[in-house]
Amino acid sequence: MTTQELKDLTPRQIVAELDQYIIGQHDAKRYVSIALRNRWRRMNSTPEMQQEITPNNILMIGATGVGKTEIARRLAKIADAPFTKVEASKFTEVGYVGRDVESMVRDLVEQSVSMVKAAKKEQVKTRALQIVEDMILDILIPPIKQPSGFMLDEPNDKNDVPDTDAELNERTRERFREKIRKGEMDERKIEIDVQQNAAPNIGMIGGTVDELSMMNIQEMIGGMMPRRGKKRKVTIAEAKKIMLEEEAAKLIDMDEVKDEAIRKAENTGIIFIDEIDKIATSRGSGSGGPDVSREGVQRDMLPIVEGTTVNTKYGSINTDHILFVAAGAFHVSKPSDLIPELQGRFPIRVELQSLSEDDFFQILKAPKNALTKQYVAMMESEQVELTFDEDSLREIARIAFQVNSEVENIGARRLQTVMSHLLNDFMFDIPDVIGAGSKVVITKEMVSEKLNELVKNRDLSQFIL
């Protein structure tokens, strides 16, 4: 599916895309699919209304491991949009140790610049590859210049003997160019010049310097100091990668990249704020100390979510149309414990359901990136075939659900601990004991034998599963 097709997906198609990776949570998928489609609707409305239509930010409420982060991450991939995930508990208001709240917008712009730069590099890749081939050929077979005013006649037959050294040199270069393209010379070593930035990493002693000022100081000093070339002896395969990166960067107009990245981040950016419940202040707690900091973070976050201009090293970005998706378990606090102004900026609230035993079974079986498929792929790399009986998957799902019920509900992440404990012996024995060409079949009896004792022994299950 192309990026253009993904951008034009309808809400139902977006949900169908999410269904390939996330089991259940239909309400959450519906809300995020509408939010994503609304961006397309805004961009295709009249210029006057484009400024007026604001995104409906979403607050996801649900226990850990039910798919909150995965929904937001997959949504960004579907939209081909810049995406950044931050944890609200990492931020602190001015005067406390921690990250500046505006840094999440700067992270988004960095992500956007990387995406635009990668797309631009893909566009100039053919030209850059041609330049790199010429540079490698110049190292292997330096060109011979033709005498001035002398024209070479094109030979009629390929078997003609070259008349001059220049013609022989050119034919040899073309033969070597073919070899380089086919990868026949990838292991041969050559010496190349690698550009290095001479700017040192600078830290400030004493005094407070904010993140943006520090980046600007480092960039300014980096611009003043000359770039040094360092000679390295590498294989032609490595040289192609290093030189392609450098030459593609030279062909790209960075001012154009910055402008496009800012536009992309402003209109399609998604910021996922996790653990927002950790900065909610429980009204009846009576504790003064930590709550001051928590409420301070909320107040610092408010203008960014409402819409403001943030300065980044690539230019100013307006946050009016960035989609904010916040998530939290809200075990101790409630969404109403957030300051009213911040609550108002997350008008769409969706509760994610805890996962059932059948959900666990579907998670093991259906998604494109299912854990079972990951283990199959890892063993396949060692030429060992791994298969699971359907009954074994149901047993794994039952045990994971049971442990979640009795110990601590960590959602789908429990499947990773259960699967790891089940398969670790096999992973350790490959390839020394279980050699290439072997088959490993996981049955219900095998699962019961390996895991049931752990589940019965509650003390053990608390530590191991």
Side-chain angles (χ1 to χ4, degrees):
M1 191 173 284
T2 66
T3 303
Q4 192 56 44
E5 285 172 338
L6 289 173
K7 282 181 181 172
D8 298 337
L9 287 178
T10 66
R12 284 182 186 277
Q13 290 168 327
I14 293 165
V15 170
E17 285 287 319
L18 292 172
D19 282 341
Q20 293 183 38
Y21 296 95
I22 301 147
I23 299 299
Q25 313 306 357
H26 299 294
D27 286 348
K29 288 176 189 170
R30 279 171 67 97
Y31 281 120
V32 295
S33 67
I34 293 166
L36 189 58
R37 183 66 179 182
N38 281 349
R39 303 192 130 191
W40 183 90
R41 289 164 180 154
R42 183 181 84 84
M43 296 303 289
N44 285 275
S45 60
T46 60
E48 305 84 57
M49 286 310 295
Q50 278 186 30
Q51 295 308 311
E52 301 300 327
I53 299 169
T54 54
N56 283 340
N57 297 326
I58 299 165
L59 177 62
M60 293 185 189
I61 303 158
T64 183
V66 295
K68 301 187 295 290
T69 308
E70 191 65 13
I71 286 173
R73 187 179 285 122
R74 292 289 169 191
L75 189 73
K77 280 191 178 176
I78 288 171
D80 186 37
F83 172 81
T84 189
K85 174 184 180 284
V86 294
E87 288 179 15
S89 52
K90 293 271 180 77
F91 296 123
T92 56
E93 65 174 329
V94 178
Y96 288 80
V97 178
R99 290 191 76 193
D100 166 24
V101 174
E102 285 186 353
S103 64
M104 63 181 169
V105 182
R106 288 196 272 273
D107 290 346
L108 184 75
V109 174
E110 287 285 353
Q111 181 67 22
S112 187
V113 168
S114 298
M115 288 177 74
V116 174
K117 205 190 282 185
K120 296 277 185 197
K121 278 182 180 174
E122 202 57 41
Q123 288 172 13
V124 299
K125 192 175 179 183
T126 309
R127 268 176 67 202
L129 207 53
Q130 179 79 34
I131 295 167
V132 168
E133 281 174 5
D134 288 338
M135 289 167 75
I136 292 171
L137 282 170
D138 287 350
I139 295 168
L140 292 170
I141 307 154
I144 296 173
K145 287 185 180 177
Q146 298 170 17
S148 58
F150 181 77
M151 293 289 288
L152 280 175
D153 291 326
E154 283 293 320
N156 295 322
D157 186 6
K158 283 189 178 178
N159 296 321
D160 283 355
V161 178
D163 296 327
T164 64
D165 289 344
E167 193 180 332
L168 176 63
N169 176 270
E170 191 54 41
R171 287 202 197 176
T172 310
R173 280 169 67 89
E174 287 308 311
R175 276 202 299 273
F176 271 74
R177 189 189 294 276
E178 283 301 312
K179 285 176 181 286
I180 290 167
R181 280 182 185 167
K182 289 176 182 172
E184 291 173 15
M185 302 186 70
D186 279 358
E187 296 308 309
R188 183 164 172 175
K189 290 207 166 187
I190 56 170
E191 198 173 69
I192 61 168
D193 277 328
V194 180
Q195 292 295 314
Q196 281 192 323
N197 200 335
N201 282 327
I202 300 156
M204 289 290 174
I205 300 171
T208 55
V209 179
D210 68 13
E211 199 177 335
L212 181 63
S213 302
M214 179 59 73
M215 286 190 296
N216 287 338
I217 290 167
Q218 288 194 338
E219 201 169 80
M220 185 178 71
I221 293 172
M224 287 162 58
M225 298 185 80
R227 288 174 71 84
R228 300 183 303 206
K230 180 187 174 187
K231 289 206 176 288
R232 276 183 65 189
K233 200 158 192 175
V234 293
T235 62
I236 286 179
E238 287 176 85
K240 276 196 275 194
K241 282 183 193 170
I242 297 165
M243 293 162 85
L244 187 62
E245 193 69 24
E246 285 182 2
E247 293 308 311
K250 287 177 191 172
L251 293 170
I252 292 169
D253 181 355
M254 267 314 286
D255 289 332
E256 195 183 312
V257 168
K258 288 175 187 176
D259 292 345
E260 193 176 320
I262 292 284
R263 278 199 307 275
K264 195 178 178 77
E266 280 182 340
N267 292 304
T268 66
I270 299 173
I271 294 180
F272 182 77
I273 306 168
D274 205 2
E275 294 187 3
I276 200 164
D277 55 322
K278 302 290 192 299
I279 59 165
T281 52
S282 195
R283 298 293 172 205
S285 65
S287 57
D291 288 356
V292 176
S293 177
R294 287 176 190 171
E295 196 161 309
V297 175
Q298 291 183 57
R299 295 204 177 278
D300 284 351
M301 202 177 274
L302 186 60
I304 293 171
V305 181
E306 280 184 334
T308 188
T309 301
V310 176
N311 290 321
T312 75
K313 66 178 184 178
Y314 300 105
S316 299
I317 175 172
N318 189 292
T319 65
D320 281 345
H321 301 289
I322 292 172
L323 176 67
F324 290 88
V325 180
F330 290 99
H331 287 316
V332 179
S333 55
K334 307 182 292 296
S336 57
D337 290 333
L338 293 166
I339 60 172
E341 298 92 332
L342 194 60
Q343 286 182 55
R345 299 312 298 182
F346 289 94
I348 309 296
R349 292 188 190 176
V350 55
E351 191 168 345
L352 281 83
Q353 305 303 313
S354 292
L355 299 168
S356 66
E357 190 177 314
D358 188 57
D359 286 335
F360 279 147
F361 172 68
Q362 292 299 330
I363 288 167
L364 286 169
K365 191 178 175 185
K368 277 188 174 181
N369 61 339
L371 264 178
T372 47
K373 293 172 185 174
Q374 291 175 31
Y375 275 102
V376 166
M378 284 193 285
M379 287 201 187
E380 212 172 71
S381 68
E382 304 262 17
Q383 284 87 50
V384 174
E385 189 185 328
L386 173 67
T387 52
F388 291 86
D389 285 355
E390 187 148 317
D391 287 344
S392 72
L393 295 182
R394 290 204 177 275
E395 184 67 5
I396 294 166
R398 183 190 69 78
I399 289 169
F401 182 74
Q402 187 182 336
V403 176
N404 266 358
S405 307
E406 293 176 0
V407 181
E408 182 75 42
N409 189 353
I410 59 168
R413 294 191 181 98
R414 182 70 68 189
L415 289 170
Q416 290 183 315
T417 57
V418 172
M419 288 283 283
S420 172
H421 199 80
L422 173 66
L423 295 171
N424 267 0
D425 287 346
F426 295 113
M427 302 303 279
F428 185 78
D429 287 341
I430 296 171
D432 299 326
V433 179
I434 303 170
S438 306
K439 289 187 178 182
V440 175
V441 181
I442 306 297
T443 60
K444 181 182 177 180
E445 291 72 30
M446 192 184 291
V447 175
S448 301
E449 185 188 328
K450 275 189 175 286
L451 299 175
N452 268 345
E453 277 306 309
L454 282 177
V455 177
K456 283 176 190 167
N457 188 332
R458 287 207 57 187
D459 290 336
L460 269 179
S461 65
Q462 284 183 41
F463 291 103
I464 295 172
L465 292 180

